[in-house]
Amino acid sequence: MGLNLPTPASALAIAAHPDDVEFGCGATLAKWAAAGCVVHHLVCTDGSKGTWDPDPDLAELVAQRQDEQRDAAKALGATGEVVFLGWPDGELASDQRQRWQIAYWIRRLRPELVLGHDPWKRYRLHPDHRHAGFLAVDGVVAARDPHFFPEQSIPPHRPTALLLFEADEPDHVEEVGDEDVARKLAALESHRSQLRSTMFVDLSSPEGEEQLAAFRARVHERLVADGQVAGVPQGEAFKAITDL
């Protein structure tokens, strides 16, 4: 089990939806940002299905979720770009057109390290997470080699490592501290439209504060469990691919 890569100069986290980055690697990004890493976010879908409301204003929801993602990035201390590809929520594909976009942003932002969903996670239900994971992996391959998408007219770029969160078989842990955890929670709670549907928190109800405390406890329990596999108090676990 690997523990703690050197802080990268820059990192790009690629996610299916707004809030996936914060769930998957928020504390790690907060730790790196505090140490001077330039953290970028890339969100593949528009998040337009992220509500239990049967009759929402979807354009308003998409705009709200983008604002929430920007707020979450700030809560982590991220100073890089927040990119939205805008593919319809629930309809993401990992085809050539999407791979072109991912390779473009890797080449343009030139991150030292890339993070993304583990596309090989068994029994994964949400197709967007699978496709976003494959796009991260395939985009790294395309971005590094000059004969993929030469029409982009951007020099190829090879990151030094790829960390896959939600990993089926993790082999690396990033140890995180209490301040990193606090920033992760603040970032997650910036996704206000998702409190009910994803975090099961209804602050308008009498039980709202109790539900919020329970959500925070669940996040902390996961961090403790991930840390324990590497013998540290709390951490986030990944599958690390360093031969790129």
Side-chain angles (χ1 to χ4, degrees):
M1 184 65 62
L3 180 65
N4 294 339
L5 292 172
T7 300
S10 59
L12 170 63
I14 299 171
H17 311 98
D19 82 11
D20 287 339
V21 165
E22 286 68 49
F23 273 111
C25 57
T28 297
L29 295 179
K31 177 180 75 168
W32 289 346
C37 176
V38 178
V39 172
H40 305 284
H41 287 64
L42 188 154
V43 180
C44 294
T45 75
D46 62 7
S48 57
K49 293 183 175 66
T51 179
W52 288 350
D53 182 352
D55 190 28
D57 182 327
L58 292 183
E60 183 178 326
L61 176 62
V62 169
Q64 179 181 356
R65 297 204 70 183
Q66 290 189 0
D67 287 342
E68 290 170 351
Q69 184 61 78
R70 295 185 188 98
D71 290 345
K74 291 177 183 176
L76 294 179
T79 58
E81 294 198 39
V82 180
V83 177
F84 301 97
L85 299 187
W87 293 96
D89 194 346
E91 303 173 31
L92 185 64
S94 47
D95 294 333
Q96 197 77 340
R97 187 175 176 187
Q98 292 86 358
R99 189 185 307 177
W100 190 101
Q101 291 179 301
I102 300 296
Y104 169 84
W105 282 104
I106 292 174
R107 287 171 171 174
R108 176 170 165 177
L109 298 175
R110 312 191 75 75
E112 182 178 342
L113 190 145
V114 173
L115 307 95
H117 300 268
D118 179 359
W120 296 286
K121 184 178 178 67
R122 289 171 289 187
Y123 316 121
R124 180 189 293 283
L125 290 180
H126 206 308
D128 287 346
H129 286 209
R130 280 198 308 276
H131 286 297
F134 280 121
L135 285 171
V137 174
D138 297 349
V140 164
V141 173
R144 76 185 185 191
D145 295 335
H147 298 295
F148 282 91
F149 312 126
E151 70 278 6
Q152 292 180 352
S153 300
I154 304 175
H157 175 70
R158 184 188 297 263
T160 62
L162 172 63
L163 294 184
L164 300 177
F165 49 81
E166 305 168 337
D168 205 25
E169 297 183 2
D171 59 5
H172 178 82
V173 169
E174 285 293 323
E175 183 178 7
V176 297
D178 290 342
E179 181 59 32
D180 310 318
V181 175
R183 287 184 176 274
K184 176 186 177 86
L185 287 169
L188 284 167
E189 292 165 32
S190 295
H191 295 280
R192 295 168 294 281
S193 67
Q194 303 305 293
L195 289 176
R196 288 187 63 230
S197 60
T198 301
M199 306 173 199
F200 307 106
V201 175
D202 183 0
L203 291 178
S204 66
S205 75
E207 298 81 19
E209 290 300 325
E210 182 178 341
Q211 293 168 349
L212 182 59
F215 167 71
R216 292 169 176 167
R218 290 194 298 272
V219 171
H220 189 255
E221 287 168 4
R222 179 73 263 168
L223 293 167
V224 170
D226 282 356
Q228 285 178 342
V229 301
V232 296
Q234 48 194 3
E236 290 178 327
F238 304 90
K239 174 65 181 178
I241 303 175
T242 56
D243 185 11
L244 302 182

